[in-house]
Amino acid sequence: MEGKIIVVTGASGALGKVVVATALAKGARVTAIDHAASTMKATPDRIELGGVDLTDASEAKKAIDAAASHFGKLDALVNIAGGFAFETTAEGDPKTWQRMYALNVLTALNASRSAIPHLSASGAGRIINVGAMGALQAGAGMGAYAASKAGVHRLTEALAAEWKGKIAVNAVLPSTIDTAANRASMPNADFAKWVRPEELADVILFLASDAASAVTGALLPVSGRV
């Protein structure tokens, strides 16, 4: 990853923070984008763009263009921005379906569309999306979330087909991620079976690296330690 220029969306979340830190440790330079306000000063290897609504195509383009302009190019986009909701189909709010689509599909779509001109010029362009194993077969209460993440899977496949030979596009499909929020919401779960953010970050950054040049259109389940 030495010298790679990477954009990470959802960068202030539990996974986003780890991906940013791991990328920097591997020698990349990173633009961290998030809906939350910026809280960190820029360094030579890292800038933070806060207050960005990636559901708005114009805001996404402005942020991605700013990242590419600051570092002179863009090699990889990691789409982590998203959301989760647990509601049964019959009793839930129909607006939840719209919100899940906006947070999970539109953010990845708008960021990807904005990044494509820069990534196609890189010579080693990469897009890595975050799908979900739970979208492969939805359980009770998971309809809106799973449907939106299934949309991320199909978006990944379409982009990979459209840009094959120019941009490699893949998605990771994590099981439950071992975060403080997930532990609080599921205190009786076996945390040892969950995937750690550090493990997931390593897979994401492998897909962003030159070593993954032959991989595109893949939906890679990441289920944690075996």
Side-chain angles (χ1 to χ4, degrees):
M1 299 303 299
E2 189 71 34
K4 294 291 185 183
I5 308 300
I6 300 176
V7 165
V8 179
T9 74
S12 69
L15 175 60
K17 288 179 179 178
V18 174
V19 171
V20 169
T22 305
L24 290 169
K26 292 179 179 291
R29 288 180 285 175
V30 180
T31 298
I33 296 177
D34 203 275
H35 190 263
S38 176
T39 59
M40 297 185 66
K41 293 182 179 180
T43 70
D45 295 326
R46 183 187 190 278
I47 61 169
E48 186 173 287
L49 302 178
V52 180
D53 180 4
L54 292 173
T55 68
D56 184 313
S58 62
E59 285 201 33
K61 184 177 187 305
K62 182 179 179 181
I64 296 293
D65 287 349
S69 176
H70 180 85
F71 286 116
K73 65 170 184 171
L74 178 58
D75 296 311
L77 168 67
V78 181
N79 284 313
I80 300 175
F84 175 78
F86 184 89
E87 292 181 355
T88 61
T89 304
E91 298 173 351
D93 187 341
K95 291 182 180 178
T96 298
W97 291 72
Q98 297 173 325
R99 182 165 60 89
M100 288 294 95
Y101 180 83
L103 291 176
N104 292 321
V105 181
L106 282 185
T107 57
L109 172 64
N110 290 337
S112 296
R113 284 167 57 96
S114 300
I116 280 170
H118 306 291
L119 295 173
S120 61
S122 162
R126 307 280 189 269
I127 297 174
I128 302 93
N129 295 322
V130 178
M133 285 184 66
L136 299 178
Q137 182 174 355
M142 298 288 285
Y145 173 76
S148 67
K149 284 296 190 179
V152 173
H153 300 176
R154 303 293 83 80
L155 171 63
T156 301
E157 293 167 339
L159 286 172
E162 291 166 2
W163 290 93
K164 188 173 183 179
K166 293 184 178 179
I167 303 171
V169 187
N170 298 287
V172 293
L173 280 55
S175 60
T176 304
I177 303 174
D178 189 0
T179 66
N182 283 338
R183 288 192 177 210
S185 66
M186 294 175 277
N188 297 321
D190 183 355
F191 306 143
K193 294 182 179 179
W194 291 358
V195 59
R196 292 185 293 112
E198 293 79 7
E199 294 172 316
L200 189 52
D202 284 339
V203 177
I204 287 170
L205 293 173
F206 164 73
L207 292 172
S209 73
D210 291 338
S213 61
V215 183
T216 194
L219 306 176
L220 300 178
V222 184
S223 58
R225 298 172 294 285
V226 295

